[in-house]
Amino acid sequence: MKTALSRIALITSGLLLSTQLLAEPKRPECIAPAKPGGGFDLTCKLAQSGLKDGGLLKAPMRVTYMPGGVGAVAYNAVVAQRPKDAGTITAFSSGSLLNLAQGKFGRYDENAVRWLAGIGTDYGAISVRADSPYQTLSDLVEAVKKDPAAIVFGAGATIGGQDWMQTALIARAAGIDPQKLRYVAFEGGGETLTAMLGGHVQVTSSGLGEITPQLAAGKIRILAVLSDQRLPGKLAEIPTAKEQGFDIVWPVIRGFYMGPEVSDEDFNWWKQQFDTLLASEEFAKLREQRDLFPLSLTGDQLKAYVFEQVKQYKQLAGEFGLAQ
């Protein structure tokens, strides 16, 4: 009897192992819905490194770029063309959710995909070149008040997008009509930063994690980070907008979704890998190196978060006359 039970246990464990092996995708891919160098690229590469270094993904995960509509092209491609693709995860951010709230992803809304994992929090930031005459956020605001057309803002989104919204909220708090801002939209944070360093725009609105490498290189100055309080560690010298008299906070979730028809087995395999990854100290260090802050949401928890955020963003967009 004991031998028979042992044999059954061995067969069962073998079947479980076989299922686990089958569940791992052969050609894992992370889609960054913009050109290289921005926040989506950062998000994909963080998962790429974390899953590989943690031994959670045996096959190497490639990062591919699908720019267009600040995430709209990738969202539509995944839903319509790759709905069952078990090997593909796609990066998203709070900016993606803001665009969804305004109907900028076409006929698909927040119900169209499977929300997989939120792996970190970034914060909005307002930055200028290191040689800019603007030393503080107040300096910039005063200059805009005198002549709104004299300063060109660059951002990795269209009007109504996340980067625009950050500057619009500051403008509104300062009594400036956001519609009077001179604004140039780029396809992703990498292009925006390049434009500012080249002198084509004077101010960049972005996620903090997108620009900290240039801060470390001494090429930019961050006038304000849009967090509740000063951030820890090497970022502690960056003032918040709040302490400069502008009560604006903009956290940026970074994470991933999958196609709507991905099987529960495949989805849960990825969820398990991210649950394990997010619980590890090694990943916490890796995330900190990318200047992101702790956030761990997967599966249903992330879905609830996304739906609530979209609801709030619809209200905010309505305040600026941008509602769907």
Side-chain angles (χ1 to χ4, degrees), residues 27-34 39-49 51 57 60-66 74 78 82 85 87-92 116 119 255-257 270 274:
R27 298 184 64 195
E29 174 187 16
C30 184
I31 296 175
F40 292 137
D41 192 13
L42 167 73
T43 307
C44 277
K45 286 180 177 173
L46 179 59
Q48 182 187 50
S49 298
L51 292 168
L57 197 57
M61 183 165 72
R62 60 188 177 131
V63 176
T64 57
Y65 301 95
M66 195 179 291
V78 169
R82 305 168 70 169
D85 195 335
T88 301
I89 63 174
T90 305
F92 80 93
L116 177 61
I119 65 169
F256 306 95
Y257 62 83
W270 279 104
F274 276 107

Short mmCIF file of all heavy atoms in Angstrom, two decimals, residues 27-34 39-49 51 57 60-66 74 78 82 85 87-92 116 119 255-257 270 274:
data_model
loop_
_atom_site.label_atom_id
_atom_site.label_comp_id
_atom_site.label_asym_id
_atom_site.label_seq_id
_atom_site.Cartn_x
_atom_site.Cartn_y
_atom_site.Cartn_z
N ARG A 27 9.28 31.82 -25.80
CA ARG A 27 9.88 33.07 -26.31
C ARG A 27 9.24 34.26 -25.59
O ARG A 27 8.45 34.99 -26.18
CB ARG A 27 9.66 33.18 -27.82
CG ARG A 27 10.32 32.06 -28.62
CD ARG A 27 10.14 32.31 -30.11
NE ARG A 27 10.83 33.54 -30.53
CZ ARG A 27 10.62 34.16 -31.69
NH1 ARG A 27 9.72 33.67 -32.54
NH2 ARG A 27 11.29 35.24 -32.01
N PRO A 28 9.58 34.45 -24.33
CA PRO A 28 8.98 35.56 -23.58
C PRO A 28 9.39 36.91 -24.17
O PRO A 28 10.51 37.10 -24.62
CB PRO A 28 9.53 35.38 -22.16
CG PRO A 28 10.77 34.58 -22.34
CD PRO A 28 10.54 33.68 -23.51
N GLU A 29 8.44 37.84 -24.15
CA GLU A 29 8.66 39.15 -24.76
C GLU A 29 7.99 40.21 -23.91
O GLU A 29 6.89 40.02 -23.39
CB GLU A 29 8.06 39.16 -26.17
CG GLU A 29 8.08 40.51 -26.86
CD GLU A 29 7.34 40.48 -28.18
OE1 GLU A 29 6.56 39.52 -28.43
OE2 GLU A 29 7.51 41.43 -28.97
N CYS A 30 8.66 41.34 -23.77
CA CYS A 30 8.06 42.50 -23.11
C CYS A 30 7.95 43.61 -24.14
O CYS A 30 8.96 44.03 -24.73
CB CYS A 30 8.89 42.96 -21.92
SG CYS A 30 8.13 44.33 -21.00
N ILE A 31 6.75 44.09 -24.36
CA ILE A 31 6.54 45.19 -25.29
C ILE A 31 6.61 46.52 -24.53
O ILE A 31 5.89 46.73 -23.56
CB ILE A 31 5.18 45.08 -25.99
CG1 ILE A 31 5.12 43.82 -26.86
CG2 ILE A 31 4.91 46.33 -26.84
CD1 ILE A 31 3.76 43.58 -27.50
N ALA A 32 7.50 47.39 -24.98
CA ALA A 32 7.57 48.76 -24.47
C ALA A 32 6.85 49.63 -25.50
O ALA A 32 7.32 49.76 -26.62
CB ALA A 32 9.02 49.21 -24.32
N PRO A 33 5.70 50.23 -25.14
CA PRO A 33 4.89 50.94 -26.14
C PRO A 33 5.40 52.34 -26.49
O PRO A 33 4.63 53.29 -26.59
CB PRO A 33 3.51 51.03 -25.46
CG PRO A 33 3.56 50.14 -24.28
CD PRO A 33 5.00 50.10 -23.87
N ALA A 34 6.69 52.48 -26.68
CA ALA A 34 7.30 53.75 -27.08
C ALA A 34 8.69 53.44 -27.62
O ALA A 34 9.12 52.28 -27.64
CB ALA A 34 7.38 54.71 -25.90
N GLY A 39 10.04 55.63 -19.93
CA GLY A 39 9.57 54.87 -18.78
C GLY A 39 9.14 53.45 -19.10
O GLY A 39 9.32 52.54 -18.30
N PHE A 40 8.54 53.25 -20.29
CA PHE A 40 8.13 51.90 -20.67
C PHE A 40 9.36 51.01 -20.87
O PHE A 40 9.36 49.83 -20.49
CB PHE A 40 7.30 51.93 -21.96
CG PHE A 40 5.95 52.58 -21.81
CD1 PHE A 40 5.48 53.46 -22.78
CD2 PHE A 40 5.15 52.31 -20.72
CE1 PHE A 40 4.23 54.06 -22.65
CE2 PHE A 40 3.90 52.89 -20.58
CZ PHE A 40 3.44 53.78 -21.55
N ASP A 41 10.39 51.57 -21.46
CA ASP A 41 11.65 50.84 -21.64
C ASP A 41 12.23 50.47 -20.28
O ASP A 41 12.66 49.32 -20.05
CB ASP A 41 12.62 51.73 -22.41
CG ASP A 41 13.86 50.98 -22.91
OD1 ASP A 41 13.86 49.74 -22.87
OD2 ASP A 41 14.81 51.65 -23.33
N LEU A 42 12.23 51.43 -19.36
CA LEU A 42 12.71 51.20 -18.00
C LEU A 42 11.94 50.05 -17.34
O LEU A 42 12.52 49.17 -16.71
CB LEU A 42 12.54 52.48 -17.19
CG LEU A 42 12.70 52.39 -15.67
CD1 LEU A 42 14.15 52.19 -15.29
CD2 LEU A 42 12.15 53.65 -14.99
N THR A 43 10.62 50.05 -17.52
CA THR A 43 9.77 49.03 -16.89
C THR A 43 10.08 47.64 -17.43
O THR A 43 10.23 46.68 -16.66
CB THR A 43 8.29 49.37 -17.12
OG1 THR A 43 8.03 50.72 -16.71
CG2 THR A 43 7.38 48.44 -16.34
N CYS A 44 10.17 47.52 -18.75
CA CYS A 44 10.48 46.22 -19.36
C CYS A 44 11.85 45.71 -18.92
O CYS A 44 12.01 44.53 -18.60
CB CYS A 44 10.42 46.33 -20.88
SG CYS A 44 8.76 46.17 -21.58
N LYS A 45 12.83 46.60 -18.93
CA LYS A 45 14.18 46.16 -18.59
C LYS A 45 14.33 45.80 -17.12
O LYS A 45 15.15 44.95 -16.76
CB LYS A 45 15.19 47.22 -19.02
CG LYS A 45 15.36 47.26 -20.53
CD LYS A 45 16.34 48.30 -21.00
CE LYS A 45 16.51 48.23 -22.52
NZ LYS A 45 17.34 49.34 -23.04
N LEU A 46 13.53 46.42 -16.28
CA LEU A 46 13.53 46.05 -14.87
C LEU A 46 13.01 44.63 -14.69
O LEU A 46 13.60 43.83 -13.96
CB LEU A 46 12.67 47.04 -14.08
CG LEU A 46 12.54 46.79 -12.57
CD1 LEU A 46 13.90 46.80 -11.89
CD2 LEU A 46 11.62 47.84 -11.95
N ALA A 47 11.92 44.30 -15.38
CA ALA A 47 11.38 42.94 -15.31
C ALA A 47 12.34 41.95 -15.97
O ALA A 47 12.55 40.84 -15.46
CB ALA A 47 10.02 42.88 -15.99
N GLN A 48 12.93 42.35 -17.08
CA GLN A 48 13.87 41.49 -17.79
C GLN A 48 15.02 41.09 -16.87
O GLN A 48 15.38 39.91 -16.77
CB GLN A 48 14.40 42.24 -19.01
CG GLN A 48 15.37 41.46 -19.89
CD GLN A 48 15.96 42.35 -20.98
OE1 GLN A 48 16.46 43.45 -20.70
NE2 GLN A 48 15.90 41.89 -22.22
N SER A 49 15.61 42.07 -16.18
CA SER A 49 16.73 41.79 -15.28
C SER A 49 16.28 41.01 -14.06
O SER A 49 16.93 40.03 -13.66
CB SER A 49 17.37 43.11 -14.82
OG SER A 49 17.89 43.83 -15.91
N LEU A 51 13.60 39.02 -13.48
CA LEU A 51 13.18 37.64 -13.72
C LEU A 51 14.36 36.75 -14.08
O LEU A 51 14.43 35.59 -13.67
CB LEU A 51 12.14 37.61 -14.84
CG LEU A 51 10.78 38.24 -14.50
CD1 LEU A 51 9.94 38.41 -15.76
CD2 LEU A 51 10.03 37.40 -13.47
N LEU A 57 12.77 32.95 -14.86
CA LEU A 57 12.50 32.81 -16.28
C LEU A 57 13.74 32.20 -16.91
O LEU A 57 14.81 32.80 -16.91
CB LEU A 57 12.20 34.19 -16.89
CG LEU A 57 11.51 34.25 -18.25
CD1 LEU A 57 10.19 33.51 -18.24
CD2 LEU A 57 11.32 35.70 -18.67
N PRO A 60 15.60 33.69 -22.20
CA PRO A 60 15.83 35.14 -22.15
C PRO A 60 14.61 35.90 -22.67
O PRO A 60 14.00 35.50 -23.67
CB PRO A 60 17.04 35.35 -23.07
CG PRO A 60 17.05 34.16 -23.97
CD PRO A 60 16.50 33.02 -23.17
N MET A 61 14.24 36.97 -21.98
CA MET A 61 13.10 37.77 -22.41
C MET A 61 13.57 38.95 -23.24
O MET A 61 14.40 39.75 -22.79
CB MET A 61 12.30 38.28 -21.20
CG MET A 61 11.05 39.06 -21.60
SD MET A 61 9.88 39.30 -20.24
CE MET A 61 10.78 40.50 -19.25
N ARG A 62 13.05 39.05 -24.45
CA ARG A 62 13.45 40.17 -25.31
C ARG A 62 12.53 41.36 -25.07
O ARG A 62 11.36 41.20 -24.67
CB ARG A 62 13.41 39.77 -26.77
CG ARG A 62 12.06 39.32 -27.27
CD ARG A 62 12.13 38.75 -28.67
NE ARG A 62 10.83 38.26 -29.09
CZ ARG A 62 10.26 38.55 -30.26
NH1 ARG A 62 10.88 39.34 -31.10
NH2 ARG A 62 9.08 38.07 -30.57
N VAL A 63 13.06 42.55 -25.27
CA VAL A 63 12.29 43.78 -25.19
C VAL A 63 12.09 44.30 -26.60
O VAL A 63 13.06 44.49 -27.34
CB VAL A 63 12.99 44.84 -24.33
CG1 VAL A 63 12.19 46.14 -24.33
CG2 VAL A 63 13.17 44.33 -22.90
N THR A 64 10.84 44.50 -27.01
CA THR A 64 10.54 45.05 -28.32
C THR A 64 9.80 46.38 -28.15
O THR A 64 9.14 46.60 -27.13
CB THR A 64 9.67 44.09 -29.16
OG1 THR A 64 8.47 43.80 -28.45
CG2 THR A 64 10.41 42.80 -29.42
N TYR A 65 9.92 47.23 -29.14
CA TYR A 65 9.37 48.58 -29.04
C TYR A 65 8.24 48.76 -30.04
O TYR A 65 8.37 48.42 -31.22
CB TYR A 65 10.48 49.61 -29.28
CG TYR A 65 11.59 49.45 -28.26
CD1 TYR A 65 12.72 48.67 -28.57
CD2 TYR A 65 11.51 50.00 -27.00
CE1 TYR A 65 13.73 48.48 -27.64
CE2 TYR A 65 12.51 49.82 -26.06
CZ TYR A 65 13.61 49.05 -26.39
OH TYR A 65 14.60 48.85 -25.46
N MET A 66 7.12 49.28 -29.56
CA MET A 66 5.93 49.47 -30.38
C MET A 66 5.36 50.86 -30.13
O MET A 66 4.33 51.01 -29.48
CB MET A 66 4.90 48.37 -30.08
CG MET A 66 3.79 48.25 -31.12
SD MET A 66 2.62 46.92 -30.72
CE MET A 66 3.63 45.45 -30.97
N ALA A 74 0.17 49.74 -29.15
CA ALA A 74 0.47 48.47 -28.50
C ALA A 74 -0.78 47.86 -27.88
O ALA A 74 -1.02 46.65 -27.99
CB ALA A 74 1.55 48.68 -27.43
N VAL A 78 -2.21 44.22 -29.01
CA VAL A 78 -2.31 43.08 -28.09
C VAL A 78 -3.74 42.56 -28.04
O VAL A 78 -3.98 41.35 -28.10
CB VAL A 78 -1.83 43.49 -26.68
CG1 VAL A 78 -2.18 42.41 -25.66
CG2 VAL A 78 -0.32 43.72 -26.69
N ARG A 82 -3.08 39.80 -30.79
CA ARG A 82 -2.34 38.83 -29.98
C ARG A 82 -3.07 38.54 -28.67
O ARG A 82 -2.47 38.51 -27.60
CB ARG A 82 -0.93 39.37 -29.69
CG ARG A 82 -0.17 39.73 -30.96
CD ARG A 82 1.09 40.53 -30.71
NE ARG A 82 2.13 39.76 -30.08
CZ ARG A 82 3.39 40.18 -29.95
NH1 ARG A 82 3.76 41.37 -30.42
NH2 ARG A 82 4.29 39.43 -29.36
N ASP A 85 -1.68 35.40 -26.69
CA ASP A 85 -0.23 35.21 -26.64
C ASP A 85 0.26 35.08 -25.19
O ASP A 85 0.31 36.06 -24.43
CB ASP A 85 0.46 36.39 -27.31
CG ASP A 85 1.92 36.10 -27.62
OD1 ASP A 85 2.51 35.25 -26.93
OD2 ASP A 85 2.47 36.71 -28.55
N GLY A 87 3.19 34.41 -24.11
CA GLY A 87 4.58 34.80 -23.85
C GLY A 87 4.80 36.30 -23.80
O GLY A 87 5.92 36.75 -23.57
N THR A 88 3.74 37.09 -24.03
CA THR A 88 3.90 38.53 -24.15
C THR A 88 3.31 39.27 -22.96
O THR A 88 2.14 39.08 -22.62
CB THR A 88 3.23 39.05 -25.44
OG1 THR A 88 3.83 38.41 -26.56
CG2 THR A 88 3.38 40.55 -25.57
N ILE A 89 4.12 40.13 -22.35
CA ILE A 89 3.63 41.08 -21.37
C ILE A 89 3.92 42.48 -21.92
O ILE A 89 4.89 42.67 -22.65
CB ILE A 89 4.29 40.89 -19.98
CG1 ILE A 89 5.80 41.12 -20.03
CG2 ILE A 89 3.98 39.49 -19.44
CD1 ILE A 89 6.49 41.08 -18.67
N THR A 90 3.06 43.43 -21.61
CA THR A 90 3.20 44.78 -22.15
C THR A 90 3.23 45.79 -21.00
O THR A 90 2.42 45.71 -20.08
CB THR A 90 2.05 45.12 -23.10
OG1 THR A 90 1.97 44.12 -24.12
CG2 THR A 90 2.24 46.48 -23.74
N ALA A 91 4.17 46.71 -21.08
CA ALA A 91 4.33 47.70 -20.02
C ALA A 91 3.23 48.76 -20.08
O ALA A 91 2.78 49.15 -21.15
CB ALA A 91 5.70 48.37 -20.13
N PHE A 92 2.82 49.21 -18.90
CA PHE A 92 1.89 50.33 -18.82
C PHE A 92 2.30 51.22 -17.65
O PHE A 92 3.13 50.85 -16.82
CB PHE A 92 0.44 49.84 -18.64
CG PHE A 92 0.09 49.45 -17.21
CD1 PHE A 92 -0.49 50.37 -16.34
CD2 PHE A 92 0.33 48.17 -16.75
CE1 PHE A 92 -0.80 50.01 -15.03
CE2 PHE A 92 0.01 47.80 -15.44
CZ PHE A 92 -0.56 48.73 -14.58
N LEU A 116 -1.77 42.32 -15.08
CA LEU A 116 -0.89 41.30 -14.51
C LEU A 116 -0.19 41.73 -13.22
O LEU A 116 -0.34 41.09 -12.17
CB LEU A 116 0.16 40.90 -15.54
CG LEU A 116 1.22 39.89 -15.10
CD1 LEU A 116 0.58 38.56 -14.70
CD2 LEU A 116 2.26 39.69 -16.20
N ILE A 119 4.78 46.81 -10.46
CA ILE A 119 6.06 46.43 -9.83
C ILE A 119 6.82 47.58 -9.20
O ILE A 119 7.88 47.38 -8.62
CB ILE A 119 6.97 45.71 -10.84
CG1 ILE A 119 7.38 46.64 -11.99
CG2 ILE A 119 6.28 44.45 -11.38
CD1 ILE A 119 8.48 46.08 -12.87
N GLY A 255 3.91 48.91 -14.54
CA GLY A 255 3.57 47.49 -14.48
C GLY A 255 3.27 46.91 -15.84
O GLY A 255 3.68 47.46 -16.87
N PHE A 256 2.49 45.80 -15.86
CA PHE A 256 2.29 45.02 -17.08
C PHE A 256 0.87 44.49 -17.20
O PHE A 256 0.21 44.20 -16.19
CB PHE A 256 3.25 43.82 -17.11
CG PHE A 256 4.69 44.20 -16.92
CD1 PHE A 256 5.27 44.16 -15.67
CD2 PHE A 256 5.44 44.64 -17.99
CE1 PHE A 256 6.58 44.53 -15.48
CE2 PHE A 256 6.76 45.04 -17.81
CZ PHE A 256 7.34 44.98 -16.56
N TYR A 257 0.43 44.32 -18.44
CA TYR A 257 -0.83 43.64 -18.73
C TYR A 257 -0.59 42.57 -19.77
O TYR A 257 0.47 42.52 -20.42
CB TYR A 257 -1.92 44.62 -19.18
CG TYR A 257 -1.62 45.37 -20.47
CD1 TYR A 257 -1.87 44.79 -21.72
CD2 TYR A 257 -1.13 46.67 -20.44
CE1 TYR A 257 -1.62 45.47 -22.90
CE2 TYR A 257 -0.87 47.37 -21.62
CZ TYR A 257 -1.12 46.77 -22.84
OH TYR A 257 -0.86 47.46 -24.01
N TRP A 270 2.62 33.53 -14.89
CA TRP A 270 3.28 34.84 -14.83
C TRP A 270 3.04 35.52 -13.47
O TRP A 270 3.95 36.10 -12.89
CB TRP A 270 2.76 35.75 -15.95
CG TRP A 270 3.40 35.52 -17.28
CD1 TRP A 270 2.87 34.86 -18.35
CD2 TRP A 270 4.70 35.96 -17.71
NE1 TRP A 270 3.74 34.85 -19.41
CE2 TRP A 270 4.87 35.52 -19.05
CE3 TRP A 270 5.73 36.68 -17.10
CZ2 TRP A 270 6.03 35.79 -19.78
CZ3 TRP A 270 6.88 36.95 -17.83
CH2 TRP A 270 7.02 36.51 -19.14
N PHE A 274 5.85 36.89 -10.75
CA PHE A 274 5.92 38.26 -10.25
C PHE A 274 5.68 38.32 -8.74
O PHE A 274 6.30 39.13 -8.04
CB PHE A 274 4.94 39.16 -10.99
CG PHE A 274 5.49 39.70 -12.28
CD1 PHE A 274 5.05 39.21 -13.50
CD2 PHE A 274 6.48 40.68 -12.28
CE1 PHE A 274 5.58 39.70 -14.69
CE2 PHE A 274 7.01 41.17 -13.46
CZ PHE A 274 6.56 40.68 -14.67
#
